[in-house]
Amino acid sequence: MDSLWDVLVVTAIFFTTIILYRNCFRLLRSKFCNQLPLGSLGWPFIGETIEFISSAYSDRPETFMDKRRRLYGKVFKSHIFGSPTIVSTDAEVSKFILQSDAKAFVPSYPKSLTELMGKSSILLINGSLQKRIHGLVGAFFKSSHLKAQITKDMECYVKLSMANWTENNPIYLQDETKNISFQVLVKILISLNPGQSMEFLKKQFQEFIAGLMALPVNIPGSRLYQSLQAKRNMVKLVKKIIQERKSCGISTVPKDIMEVLLKDENEELTDDLIAENMIDMMIPGEDSVPILMTLAVKYLSDCPAALQQLTEENLKMKGQKEQLGEALHWSDYLSMPFTQSVITETLRMGNIIIGVMRKAMKDMKIKGYLIPKGWSVLTYFRSVHLDDNHYDCPYKFNPWRWQDREMSSCNFTPFGGGQRLCPGLDLARLEASIFLHHFVTHFRWIAEEDKIINFPTVRMKKRMPVWVKRRRDP
Ligand code: HEM
């Protein structure tokens, strides 16, 4: 009897909710009449999320967008991840959104992510504090002093890692590059050298990011709970480093991001906020750079002509520097045009960050499209980067296309744009250039068959195994 009663109650709740949901959207439709972009809001609650995710897992995640672009145009409405969403695959509309300030659009992430990041994370805050931190971090990343330091550190980590590679076993490039770039990232943020604390941080960080896409349920034992605990452990470690640094006195020329922020006089930059942000800044930096390196090797392995040209360029640079008896300077790594074109093309095809999410703070009209207050917006870069109106044969890895082409257009935004343009973009390019230089000048390799997975983050299915052979020729 009890269970019949339960079934009746659940059924009643289900149908009432559907009716309320439908009425709610009927109301929205009548309020905004024909001003909303075309599109479908899909099923109650789940909207079009399942279709979005199933195409995100495929080789061509953009098919979800392509289908709707054909039906409704480059900007359309949908309902994904629990929110009515305007999807923009139009480069100009996306540019406008990215350049708008926090009165118009603010960052919007899944709930588990916002819980893990905390309210004062640079990825979430808006207004003057975000601008301040962004400016300080960006300026530090651009300084030639840091680039010189990073070049030395990166060379050292790359050489240490490569010294252990053997010819009898496959090398998992995704793991190797992850290890190298994590060490670089932690050095830039808090000047931690490889050792026990670094290993502790690495372990805790893996635990932390495992919760980024988890269910937003924070109870003991849940994934989110464990990730928050890992974050607390990391923050504790960083706060201890802050205390030690303060007691020894902070250097006049800041040696890491932590010191840059500690030296700033803005009272909002408390030790807690700085410690939390050191961890939050690892989120965009930790995975993206190693994937950039891994994908570059994957694309080069599939394109012998590009690999040959890149290798020749790097061997030539190496030879010139050896003749002069000099080490490569950071600007040497960035001065090789074909290597830069390979990195640019990898960013275009790889779409390491497929797009960014924002929430509209007021009704906005862009190019005639209405974005209602409270709706999410997904500026989807992948569709723009793979649009044959912008790029000939967009699915073909063709670094040569960048030889006579500007990068600074709204059709190429792997690092986002506007006020939140990635401050780590120079660093990412420099790290990738150093890795590729040492890889191609020291090794030949055969890549095992592997596949790019695009969701929830871009990665190689088998972690990119390659069989290497040390070069005997100069
Ligand atoms: C291939 C490598 C990278 C890619 C593709 C990438 C991409 C992006 C994108 C698209 C954004 C904009 C997010 C938005 O508008 O909401 C962003 C922001 C950011 N990135 Fe990167 N990133 C990379 C490497 C790095 C590195 C190495 C760091 C170093 C810590 C970094 C730190 C940041 C930070 C702190 C932000 C937030 C800026 C703000 O909101 O003010 N990124 N990144």
Side-chain angles (χ1 to χ4, degrees):
M1 191 62 191
D2 263 3
S3 59
L4 178 66
W5 180 241
D6 287 350
V7 171
L8 282 174
V9 171
V10 170
T11 317
I13 293 175
F14 181 71
F15 282 111
T16 319
T17 325
I18 287 188
I19 291 164
L20 281 173
Y21 181 92
R22 290 184 72 94
N23 286 347
C24 175
F25 278 109
R26 224 170 262 150
L27 209 85
L28 269 178
R29 258 201 297 270
S30 62
K31 182 174 170 207
F32 298 119
C33 309
N34 298 325
Q35 301 172 48
L36 273 172
L38 299 174
S40 158
L41 296 172
W43 293 88
F45 299 117
I46 52 171
E48 299 191 300
T49 311
I50 294 179
E51 215 181 325
F52 178 86
I53 292 181
S54 70
S55 85
Y57 269 115
S58 73
D59 294 344
R60 295 264 173 122
E62 61 284 2
T63 45
F64 176 90
M65 310 294 164
D66 290 349
K67 192 171 144 194
R68 284 154 185 82
R69 268 160 69 114
R70 279 192 299 274
L71 286 169
Y72 313 123
K74 283 186 177 179
V75 178
F76 55 87
K77 67 170 180 279
S78 180
H79 191 286
I80 41 178
F81 301 116
S83 173
T85 304
I86 303 294
V87 180
S88 164
T89 64
D90 180 308
E92 283 171 23
V93 172
S94 296
K95 182 180 174 188
F96 186 94
I97 293 165
L98 292 177
Q99 290 192 333
S100 304
D101 63 18
K103 289 189 193 109
F105 294 103
V106 294
S108 159
Y109 293 100
K111 188 146 189 318
S112 53
L113 227 124
T114 46
E115 288 232 4
L116 282 174
M117 290 192 280
K119 288 192 185 71
S120 54
S121 165
I122 181 174
L123 303 170
L124 287 178
I125 52 173
N126 296 293
S128 57
L129 187 59
Q130 182 268 338
K131 278 197 199 127
R132 182 83 199 139
I133 301 181
H134 190 281
L136 288 168
V137 172
F140 184 66
F141 278 154
K142 280 200 169 54
S143 69
S144 49
H145 169 72
L146 176 84
K147 285 180 183 155
Q149 183 56 48
I150 287 310
T151 301
K152 279 201 201 113
D153 292 333
M154 178 83 190
E155 283 171 342
C156 167
Y157 301 145
V158 166
K159 282 178 188 161
L160 274 175
S161 168
M162 289 179 176
N164 292 324
W165 293 7
T166 62
E167 299 187 357
N168 316 324
N169 293 302
I171 305 299
Y172 291 90
L173 271 191
Q174 188 169 290
D175 299 347
E176 298 290 325
T177 52
K178 264 196 165 209
N179 198 28
I180 296 167
S181 33
F182 188 77
Q183 291 173 333
V184 175
L185 186 61
V186 174
K187 188 78 193 279
I188 297 170
L189 290 169
I190 54 176
S191 298
L192 202 64
N193 285 316
Q196 240 181 351
S197 298
M198 169 81 82
E199 286 311 309
F200 172 79
L201 205 61
K202 206 186 287 173
K203 202 162 159 261
Q204 295 296 314
F205 190 76
Q206 291 314 318
E207 186 80 1
F208 169 61
I209 50 165
L212 290 182
M213 299 300 273
L215 284 176
V217 182
N218 183 15
I219 51 169
S222 69
R223 184 59 271 169
L224 186 60
Y225 182 88
Q226 290 170 27
S227 292
L228 282 167
Q229 186 57 48
K231 182 166 183 191
R232 274 192 288 277
N233 295 340
M234 289 188 284
V235 169
K236 204 168 145 196
L237 173 74
V238 178
K239 276 171 82 175
K240 196 171 142 233
I241 299 174
I242 293 182
Q243 288 317 316
E244 285 165 7
R245 205 67 72 80
K246 277 184 165 173
S247 62
C248 302
I250 293 161
S251 28
T252 351
V253 183
K255 60 176 180 184
D256 52 33
I257 297 280
M258 188 172 80
E259 283 195 355
V260 169
L261 299 183
L262 283 171
K263 275 174 83 69
D264 195 66
E265 280 160 12
N266 188 325
E267 283 175 3
E268 288 176 275
L269 290 174
T270 60
D271 289 359
D272 281 336
L273 182 140
I274 295 173
E276 294 239 359
N277 268 286
M278 290 307 98
I279 310 303
D280 293 336
M281 279 189 210
M282 289 182 196
I283 302 173
E286 189 261 347
D287 198 45
S288 51
V289 182
I291 293 303
L292 172 60
M293 298 174 198
T294 309
L295 287 181
V297 175
K298 160 82 181 141
Y299 294 138
L300 286 168
S301 309
D302 295 343
C303 181
L307 175 59
Q308 189 180 341
Q309 191 164 335
L310 179 125
T311 309
E312 280 167 8
E313 187 176 66
N314 279 271
L315 283 173
K316 191 172 161 206
M317 170 64 80
K318 189 175 176 232
Q320 281 170 351
K321 285 286 167 180
E322 276 169 0
Q323 264 187 351
L324 292 168
E326 284 175 10
L328 265 79
H329 189 248
W330 65 265
S331 54
D332 296 320
Y333 286 110
L334 297 176
S335 71
M336 289 177 268
F338 191 71
T339 306
Q340 290 313 305
S341 297
V342 165
I343 295 172
T344 308
E345 182 69 346
T346 304
L347 287 162
R348 181 191 72 81
M349 274 188 73
N351 290 290
I352 299 165
I353 309 284
I354 52 160
V356 296
M357 293 284 280
R358 295 281 188 267
K359 189 174 153 194
M361 300 307 284
K362 57 182 176 188
D363 286 355
M364 291 291 297
K365 214 158 189 191
I366 308 168
K367 249 177 129 181
Y369 299 110
L370 174 75
I371 304 179
K373 180 180 174 183
W375 280 45
S376 292
V377 187
L378 170 61
T379 57
Y380 194 72
F381 306 147
R382 197 180 159 97
S383 287
V384 179
H385 292 164
L386 296 170
D387 187 336
D388 57 9
N389 292 310
H390 305 315
Y391 299 95
D392 288 339
C393 306
Y395 290 92
K396 190 164 184 262
F397 180 73
N398 176 7
W400 296 275
R401 74 170 86 235
W402 294 100
Q403 284 176 347
D404 48 10
R405 198 187 163 114
E406 269 294 302
M407 256 193 306
S408 55
S409 99
C410 59
N411 297 330
F412 182 67
T413 53
F415 295 106
Q419 308 199 346
R420 292 188 177 268
L421 174 73
C422 174
L425 85 176
D426 288 346
L427 181 70
R429 275 189 176 274
L430 179 58
E431 282 189 56
S433 311
I434 297 175
F435 177 80
L436 286 174
H437 177 80
H438 290 272
F439 189 47
V440 301
T441 56
H442 287 97
F443 298 95
R444 298 174 200 280
W445 73 91
I446 294 175
E448 272 185 27
E449 197 56 43
D450 202 353
K451 197 172 163 264
I452 300 172
I453 306 284
N454 290 293
F455 193 78
T457 53
V458 177
R459 63 197 187 282
M460 300 304 295
K461 190 171 185 190
K462 294 200 273 177
R463 304 176 355 254
M464 185 79 199
V466 295
W467 293 81
V468 295
K469 266 215 172 311
R470 279 178 205 280
R471 279 181 176 272
R472 312 262 174 251
D473 53 347

